[in-house]
């Protein structure tokens, strides 16, 4: 059986492209869960310098296959099984969030539940103008459990996150950009090229410095401003031992700004 997710490097080995292709609606089921775990493991072990998450089909995802993922657990009222399953989802979101290189998510259409939570675990979200988003778990008596609620709150504030999750509504990309949930909004026909170019540019850049940026911001989110400030000198100072920094400094002195090339080391 063809995997519902594929990871490709193509002509640019620095950039891994993760494509969700599980027709007709890219619903989250056991097969997709297994494939996503394998894809994230491949990113962790392959160590590209950037990753683009995208989807094939009319929608990014119509949500979760409730019959496959949740119905057996709910019929048995199995709290332990539900807790174990959600623990796997939380850890999966954390693994994406902790990847030590830039990650970009491209949303071309309807992006519900797990797919939006995956997008929120990425560093940047690029959306087509016709895209829309929703965390609609409340319609079946659940709450998002891949870390989406808290990551959305970090982007837009707790009030809007509660409104978004509790109403289980669907919100357009324009509104989501205005809230700060979407980082870049582009015309429908430009999404793929824009997202790929952004991801490629980030992957070709000073990825050790990008990793440091992610570590500082992760420290801020976990431990607050004072701790992030206390750790910034240590995190940023290590960059002076990298070949990328030394090469970029030499390039700046010899040729001016913006001429350096980076190897991610």
């Amino acid at each position: 059986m063809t995997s519902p997710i594929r990871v490709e490097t193509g002509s640019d080995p620095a950039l891994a492209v993760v494509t969700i292709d599980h027709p007709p609606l890219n619903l989250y089921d056991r097969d997709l869960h297994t494939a996503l775990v394998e894809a994230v493991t491949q990113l962790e072990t392959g160590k590209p310098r950037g990753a683009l998450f995208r989807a094939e089909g009319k929608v990014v995802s119509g949500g979760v296959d409730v019959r496959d993922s949740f119905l057996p657990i709910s019929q048995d009222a199995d709290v332990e099984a539900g807790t174990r399953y959600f623990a796997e989802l939380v850890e999966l979101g954390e693994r994406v969030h902790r990847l030590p290189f830039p990650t970009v998510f491209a949303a071309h259409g309807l992006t519900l539940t797990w797919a939006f939570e995956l997008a929120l675990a990425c560093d940047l979200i690029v959306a087509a103008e016709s895209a829309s988003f929703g965390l609609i778990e409340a319609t079946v008596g659940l709450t998002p459990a891949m870390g989406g609620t808290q990551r959305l709150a970090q982007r837009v504030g707790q009030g809007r996150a509660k409104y978004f999750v509790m109403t289980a509504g669907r919100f357009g990309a324009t509104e989501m950009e205005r809230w700060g949930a979407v980082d870049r909004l582009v015309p429908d026909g430009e999404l793929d090229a824009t997202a790929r170019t952004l991801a490629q540019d980030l992957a070709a850049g000073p990825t050790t410095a990008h990793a440091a940026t992610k570590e500082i911001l992760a420290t801020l989110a976990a431990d607050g401003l004072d701790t992030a400030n206390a750790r910034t000198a240590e995190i940023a100072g290590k960059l002076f031992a990298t070949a990328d920094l030394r090469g970029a400094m030499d390039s700046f002195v010899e040729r001016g700004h913006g001429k350096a090339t980076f190897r991610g080391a």
Side-chain angles (χ1 to χ4, degrees):
M1 183 182 70
T2 302
S3 174
I5 295 180
R6 60 182 183 270
V7 182
E8 302 166 302
T9 54
S11 60
D12 183 3
L15 178 67
V17 179
V18 182
T19 299
I20 303 153
D21 190 5
H22 195 35
L25 296 174
N26 294 328
L27 296 181
Y28 202 84
D29 56 19
R30 295 177 192 275
D31 289 338
L32 198 149
H33 175 74
T34 299
L36 184 55
V37 171
E38 292 174 351
V40 173
T41 300
Q42 187 172 340
L43 293 177
E44 291 170 334
T45 57
K47 297 181 179 179
R49 294 176 58 199
L52 170 65
F53 289 81
R54 58 179 301 279
E56 294 284 357
K58 184 177 180 181
V59 302
V60 176
S61 178
V64 175
D65 185 337
V66 173
R67 291 183 179 87
D68 180 89
S69 299
F70 297 143
L71 191 60
I73 299 173
S74 67
Q75 288 176 333
D76 294 336
D78 193 337
V79 172
E80 290 186 2
T83 301
R84 285 196 302 271
Y85 183 66
F86 286 148
E88 290 181 19
L89 294 181
V90 170
E91 175 60 21
L92 187 54
E94 270 295 286
R95 288 171 64 188
V96 173
H97 186 68
R98 292 196 302 261
L99 288 170
F101 47 76
T103 53
V104 177
F105 192 98
H108 67 272
L110 182 64
T111 306
L112 295 182
T113 65
W114 74 275
F116 187 37
E117 292 195 85
L118 177 61
L120 290 165
C122 293
D123 297 317
L124 299 173
I125 301 174
V126 182
E129 290 175 341
S130 64
S132 59
F133 302 84
L135 296 174
I136 61 171
E137 285 83 351
T139 62
V140 293
L142 284 171
T143 191
M146 194 186 277
T149 301
Q150 46 270 47
R151 291 194 178 94
L152 182 62
Q154 286 182 332
R155 283 175 170 257
V156 306
Q158 287 200 25
R160 278 182 168 157
K162 289 175 184 177
Y163 181 77
F164 191 95
V165 173
M166 291 180 178
T167 63
R170 300 181 188 181
F171 300 82
T174 300
E175 184 173 21
M176 296 298 280
E177 184 197 33
R178 187 170 68 248
W179 283 9
V182 164
D183 299 297
R184 186 169 178 184
L185 187 65
V186 298
D188 289 359
E190 299 177 12
L191 175 69
D192 193 64
T194 300
R196 284 177 185 269
T197 298
L198 173 60
Q200 287 169 339
D201 288 347
L202 291 172
T207 45
T208 51
H210 295 333
T213 298
K214 293 181 67 165
E215 186 176 359
I216 290 169
L217 291 174
T219 303
L220 172 66
D223 301 313
L225 180 61
D226 289 345
T227 301
N229 284 343
R231 291 204 58 213
T232 292
E234 170 200 353
I235 294 169
K238 292 177 181 178
L239 297 173
F240 282 101
T242 64
D244 274 352
L245 183 145
R246 293 192 298 272
M249 293 291 178
D250 290 342
S251 175
F252 176 81
V253 172
E254 295 171 6
R255 297 183 294 167
H257 184 266
K259 303 295 195 307
T261 58
F262 301 94
R263 296 185 293 108

